[in-house]
Amino acid sequence: MPVNLPAPNPAELFPIAGVRIGVTEAGIRKANRKDLTVVLIDEGASVSGVFTQNRFCAAPVQICREHLAGDQGIRAMVINTGNANAGTGADGLARAQQTCVAMASRQGFTAQQVLPFSTGVIMETLPVDRIEAGLDAAIADAKSDNWLRAAEAIMTTDTAPKAFGTQVMLDGALVSITGISKGAGMIRPNMATMLGFMATDACVAPSLMKQLALELAEGSFNRVTVDGDTSTNDSFVVIATNKAAHKVIDSLSSPAGQALKAAMLGVAQKLAQAIVRDGEGATKFIAIKVEDGQTQAECRQVAYAIAHSPLVKTAFFASDPNLGRILAAVGYAGITDLDQTGIHLYLDDVHVAVKGGRNPAYREEDGQRVMKQSEITVRVLLGRGTAADTVWTCDLSHEYVTINADYRS
Amino acid sequence: MPVNLPAPNPAELFPIAGVRIGVTEAGIRKANRKDLTVVLIDEGASVSGVFTQNRFCAAPVQICREHLAGDQGIRAMVINTGNANAGTGADGLARAQQTCVAMASRQGFTAQQVLPFSTGVIMETLPVDRIEAGLDAAIADAKSDNWLRAAEAIMTTDTAPKAFGTQVMLDGALVSITGISKGAGMIRPNMATMLGFMATDACVAPSLMKQLALELAEGSFNRVTVDGDTSTNDSFVVIATNKAAHKVIDSLSSPAGQALKAAMLGVAQKLAQAIVRDGEGATKFIAIKVEDGQTQAECRQVAYAIAHSPLVKTAFFASDPNLGRILAAVGYAGITDLDQTGIHLYLDDVHVAVKGGRNPAYREEDGQRVMKQSEITVRVLLGRGTAADTVWTCDLSHEYVTINADYRS
């Protein structure tokens, strides 16, 4: 059961003019399961993406980078589950490329105009014949209100679909934004999550798209972690179809640029947090805020050290206010000149540690009360500056071990 | 149940001339439990230690560093379990100091000649009155053949005592080496483990002791990890009582220096590996060897990324050869110019991945066979140099979650 993850609200999953989505069962790993999704994009859209920093990045990630750099205009995406096509060498690259060729030949554009995405088990051969065999059915299924079905079709160990949308007025025109994501384990996105897709009908100058995608990822997917394992396949793609009736946005700092970015960031954060709420075995959603640091980077480093500590995560699972474990993680986060006597620790509103030691006023029952909640904020004050950062994570439960000990069997 | 951890062999736990050990039940956290150990050291011994790099280092660690730097000659150690005296601020420092004063006043030496050690729960007040009350009984118990009892008395979540010894001929004199360690969780020593103590009657120039302790820690405790959590209390102390009948060793590269170091390193590695074998919830002992790197540091970085991946660790627990997870960890280890097409992966003798892709000759049943073993070697060839390093770790099981979700209750 995800932690306070709202079911997608169909009324908020706005069709985006210029984007149609189709889904089918291609039998890639298991039968009777929607596992192939195509996204058809009208000519004239601006598309950008950010991808995993994992050096063992999957074949489709390598192809996506090439095709986006090729600048021929992206016209379609093909997304399969059941197989990550990662750790598959030159053969994997050829199979990802073959997927693009098969899609392009059916639609009359070039292979360079197709982006492939794969997610699932690593180091197994992609059954590209099954993808090819499924393409026609997926294309025939394509329509603009298929976002929810796509959110379902890209799930792997996810227990619930993740889809959010919003609308915003830009220069008097109503603009829609809709996005989906998937992911539950192997989650410590470093540029993007397993898979995240967002589209808007807003008009955005192509030259701005890379910056927009990066800034959205930085404020959302790059702030979540389940298990600290950065995936081989992380991909986050932003599509602006340029169909809305407003002037093209040519700067993210213009009023319209700021409004669009804020609206899109809201959706991106919900999509990213949804992954943590559905984190493998998660029973709690935890925001870790680190403040008063010298730099944002060191605040993030401390937040991730806390978020990745198995001891901290199991204490949250147990609702045990064994909060010294948080201080220990702060201490080993890698700030070599950190002075422990400047540290304060809060659990929600409870002031646990003062100047590196236990707060004399702290009572175990107050810590216990907060630890029992399903949503918890950990706040660490470093006492050495004015920078801050936040990371979202979940606890580590028996269910995490069960899921990952059984995933392939 | 620890993984292939031999019970201490009393015949190998050699008394060390100049060292006497006493143990008692001081009721520090629970009744009827040996929780206080004193080590009495004859005048003239050379003592050195290495301590955690955690910036939230415990009060006793801070006092140890001061007293070792004070150079008055260390005459005693006082070790308690049940309370780590970490995250306790100025009050914790005063209590650690009080422990030293209490010990020194009973034995007629200065507080600066005492080293205090604490291990247990973090951020709780050290009951120094109970330590004081227990000291007389512990001192009365002191004898030279008490190593096994001390190994038992320093246990916390350990399920078995860890003690090893050996003897070596130096310049015609028989020299004895005996050591003990403790630790099972919060284990990613960064300079030393939770607690490790070694003594020898060898004659070692005091000026060499720091280098000897560092080199021993580097080759043993600094190569193990259970959960990646660097403790606040890691301490590793080496004592040379200078009682043996050989010429003082004044260089570790002399024949006698090399012989002593090799013998001590053998014991230190057994002590360090014992911690992994008894790692919380461990069912497997895994050596991770990374070779053909540009530097030893990058090899270690990759080995630790693999060793800390919850996905890799749960796959080992499940005996599931889901080996793409290892490649993913190699990819996110932080070598930014790593070329995946140069990577080879072996599981014991089984060649799993060739040039970044699955070995065509690799059969799942071969991977399965190795994964079922209780001792496994993972070998990664980076294909970019001649450096190598090794890290020892264990798997991540349901039992780990159980232990750490229940530790304080």
Side-chain angles (χ1 to χ4, degrees):
Chain A
M1 277 290 294
V3 183
N4 304 328
L5 175 62
N9 177 355
E12 279 181 5
L13 303 183
F14 304 100
I16 303 298
V19 171
R20 289 175 304 132
I21 301 172
V23 165
T24 194
E25 297 177 359
I28 289 166
R29 185 174 176 81
K30 294 185 177 163
N32 305 317
R33 199 201 167 300
K34 292 192 209 84
D35 54 9
L36 184 65
T37 303
V38 299
V39 179
L40 300 173
I41 305 166
D42 281 4
E43 200 166 356
S46 308
V47 178
S48 187
V50 285
F51 299 91
T52 184
Q53 294 300 297
N54 193 314
R55 296 302 302 166
F56 240 101
C57 63
V61 167
Q62 299 176 57
I63 300 286
C64 276
R65 287 200 174 107
E66 264 181 53
H67 289 188
L68 282 167
D71 212 19
Q72 298 195 10
I74 298 301
R75 298 296 309 281
M77 306 197 294
V78 180
I79 309 151
N80 73 271
T81 61
N83 185 308
N85 195 12
T88 47
D91 178 65
L93 279 172
R95 285 166 189 267
Q97 190 61 44
Q98 196 181 334
T99 303
C100 298
V101 170
M103 183 69 190
S105 69
R106 279 164 175 78
Q107 295 292 102
F109 34 75
T110 69
Q112 284 70 32
Q113 294 180 294
V114 181
L115 300 181
F117 303 87
S118 297
T119 178
V121 180
I122 299 174
M123 217 173 63
E124 298 200 352
T125 302
L126 184 74
V128 68
D129 51 329
R130 293 183 207 165
I131 293 176
E132 278 207 58
L135 279 181
D136 291 330
I139 293 167
D141 183 57
K143 39 187 171 296
S144 62
D145 61 353
N146 249 346
W147 284 99
L148 180 53
R149 272 160 53 83
E152 290 163 351
I154 62 174
M155 290 165 58
T156 55
T157 56
D158 306 60
T159 69
K162 298 159 183 76
F164 296 94
T166 193
Q167 290 185 314
V168 62
M169 293 295 294
L170 297 182
D171 292 335
L174 185 66
V175 165
S176 298
I177 298 163
T178 305
I180 58 175
S181 65
K182 65 82 54 182
M186 200 175 268
I187 298 292
R188 185 210 169 152
N190 186 357
M191 276 304 114
T193 183
M194 281 293 274
L195 295 180
F197 304 103
M198 286 179 72
T200 175
D201 53 351
C203 307
V204 183
S207 60
L208 277 189
M209 288 300 291
K210 187 80 198 170
Q211 184 191 348
L212 178 62
L214 274 173
E215 291 188 10
L216 291 176
E218 273 298 287
S220 59
F221 295 106
N222 283 355
R223 289 293 180 284
V224 300
T225 184
V226 170
D227 46 20
D229 278 281
T230 300
S231 155
T232 48
N233 291 56
D234 292 344
S235 304
F236 171 53
V237 170
V238 181
I239 302 165
T241 61
N242 299 314
K243 301 270 191 185
H246 66 93
K247 231 174 57 189
V248 171
I249 293 171
D250 57 8
S251 160
L252 291 182
S253 47
S254 68
Q258 287 185 27
L260 178 67
K261 191 188 140 186
M264 292 189 82
L265 185 60
V267 174
Q269 286 185 344
K270 282 185 191 168
L271 290 170
Q273 291 178 4
I275 288 173
V276 172
R277 292 182 186 284
D278 195 21
E280 289 173 343
T283 74
K284 300 206 166 126
F285 178 84
I286 302 148
I288 300 172
K289 295 176 189 278
V290 178
E291 303 172 12
D292 297 353
Q294 285 182 356
T295 64
Q296 189 184 4
E298 77 174 25
C299 292
R300 194 184 327 175
Q301 191 178 334
V302 170
Y304 270 124
I306 297 168
H308 290 148
S309 160
L311 291 172
V312 171
K313 290 169 100 76
T314 47
F316 278 111
F317 170 56
S319 300
D320 178 8
N322 193 338
L323 302 170
R325 292 176 176 180
I326 295 177
L327 296 184
V330 171
Y332 68 67
I335 304 183
T336 51
D337 61 346
L338 184 70
D339 176 6
Q340 63 172 272
T341 67
I343 309 288
H344 288 252
L345 170 65
Y346 291 81
L347 208 61
D348 275 14
D349 55 327
V350 178
H351 197 161
V352 178
V354 176
K355 297 189 175 177
R358 186 185 176 115
N359 178 0
Y362 169 69
R363 297 175 313 158
E364 181 99 357
E365 56 264 42
D366 295 331
Q368 183 73 66
R369 172 178 55 76
V370 179
M371 289 298 277
K372 281 185 174 156
Q373 298 166 185
S374 61
E375 307 252 340
I376 299 168
T377 298
V378 172
R379 218 173 124 231
V380 174
L381 311 188
L382 296 180
R384 46 192 262 127
T386 57
D389 209 348
T390 299
V391 160
W392 299 290
T393 193
C394 58
D395 56 337
L396 170 59
S397 68
H398 284 293
E399 191 61 15
Y400 179 88
V401 177
T402 300
I403 291 167
N404 285 297
D406 298 345
Y407 178 35
R408 298 202 321 165
S409 36
Chain B
M1 276 289 296
V3 183
N4 304 327
L5 177 61
N9 177 355
E12 280 182 3
L13 303 182
F14 304 99
I16 303 298
V19 171
R20 288 175 305 132
I21 301 172
V23 166
T24 194
E25 296 177 1
I28 290 167
R29 186 173 176 82
K30 295 184 176 163
N32 305 317
R33 200 202 167 300
K34 293 190 208 85
D35 54 10
L36 185 65
T37 304
V38 299
V39 179
L40 301 173
I41 304 166
D42 281 6
E43 198 167 356
S46 310
V47 179
S48 186
V50 284
F51 299 92
T52 184
Q53 293 300 297
N54 194 313
R55 296 301 303 167
F56 241 101
C57 63
V61 167
Q62 299 176 57
I63 300 287
C64 276
R65 286 198 175 109
E66 265 181 51
H67 289 188
L68 282 168
D71 212 21
Q72 298 196 10
I74 299 302
R75 298 297 308 282
M77 306 197 293
V78 180
I79 309 151
N80 74 270
T81 62
N83 186 307
N85 194 11
T88 47
D91 178 65
L93 280 172
R95 286 166 189 266
Q97 190 61 43
Q98 197 181 333
T99 303
C100 298
V101 170
M103 182 68 190
S105 69
R106 281 165 173 77
Q107 295 292 102
F109 34 76
T110 70
Q112 284 71 32
Q113 294 180 294
V114 181
L115 300 181
F117 304 86
S118 297
T119 179
V121 181
I122 299 174
M123 216 174 66
E124 299 200 352
T125 301
L126 183 74
V128 67
D129 51 329
R130 294 183 207 164
I131 292 176
E132 280 207 56
L135 278 181
D136 290 330
I139 293 167
D141 183 57
K143 41 187 169 295
S144 63
D145 62 353
N146 248 347
W147 284 97
L148 180 53
R149 270 160 55 84
E152 289 164 352
I154 63 174
M155 289 164 59
T156 54
T157 58
D158 308 60
T159 69
K162 299 161 183 73
F164 296 93
T166 192
Q167 290 185 314
V168 60
M169 293 295 294
L170 296 181
D171 293 335
L174 185 66
V175 165
S176 298
I177 298 163
T178 305
I180 59 176
S181 65
K182 67 81 54 180
M186 200 174 269
I187 297 293
R188 185 210 170 154
N190 186 358
M191 277 304 115
T193 184
M194 283 292 275
L195 296 179
F197 303 102
M198 287 179 71
T200 176
D201 53 352
C203 307
V204 183
S207 60
L208 276 190
M209 287 301 291
K210 187 79 197 170
Q211 184 191 348
L212 177 62
L214 274 174
E215 291 187 12
L216 291 176
E218 274 297 287
S220 58
F221 295 106
N222 283 355
R223 288 294 178 283
V224 300
T225 184
V226 169
D227 47 20
D229 279 281
T230 300
S231 156
T232 48
N233 292 56
D234 292 344
S235 305
F236 172 54
V237 171
V238 181
I239 302 164
T241 60
N242 299 314
K243 300 271 190 183
H246 66 93
K247 231 175 57 190
V248 172
I249 293 171
D250 57 8
S251 160
L252 291 182
S253 47
S254 68
Q258 288 185 29
L260 176 67
K261 192 189 140 186
M264 292 189 82
L265 186 59
V267 173
Q269 286 186 343
K270 282 185 191 169
L271 290 169
Q273 292 178 4
I275 287 173
V276 172
R277 293 183 186 283
D278 195 22
E280 288 174 343
T283 74
K284 300 205 168 130
F285 179 84
I286 302 147
I288 299 172
K289 295 176 189 278
V290 178
E291 303 173 10
D292 297 352
Q294 284 181 358
T295 62
Q296 189 183 5
E298 77 174 23
C299 292
R300 194 184 328 175
Q301 192 177 334
V302 170
Y304 270 123
I306 298 168
H308 291 146
S309 161
L311 292 172
V312 170
K313 290 168 101 77
T314 47
F316 276 111
F317 170 54
S319 300
D320 178 8
N322 194 338
L323 302 171
R325 291 175 175 181
I326 296 177
L327 296 184
V330 172
Y332 69 67
I335 305 185
T336 52
D337 62 346
L338 184 69
D339 176 6
Q340 62 172 271
T341 66
I343 310 290
H344 288 251
L345 170 65
Y346 291 81
L347 209 61
D348 276 15
D349 54 328
V350 178
H351 196 161
V352 177
V354 176
K355 297 187 175 176
R358 185 186 176 114
N359 179 1
Y362 170 68
R363 298 175 313 157
E364 180 98 356
E365 57 262 42
D366 294 332
Q368 183 72 69
R369 172 178 55 77
V370 179
M371 289 298 275
K372 283 187 174 155
Q373 298 167 185
S374 61
E375 306 252 339
I376 298 169
T377 299
V378 172
R379 220 173 122 230
V380 174
L381 311 189
L382 296 179
R384 46 191 262 130
T386 55
D389 209 348
T390 299
V391 159
W392 299 289
T393 192
C394 58
D395 55 338
L396 170 59
S397 68
H398 284 293
E399 190 62 15
Y400 179 88
V401 177
T402 300
I403 291 167
N404 284 298
D406 299 345
Y407 178 35
R408 298 203 322 166
S409 36

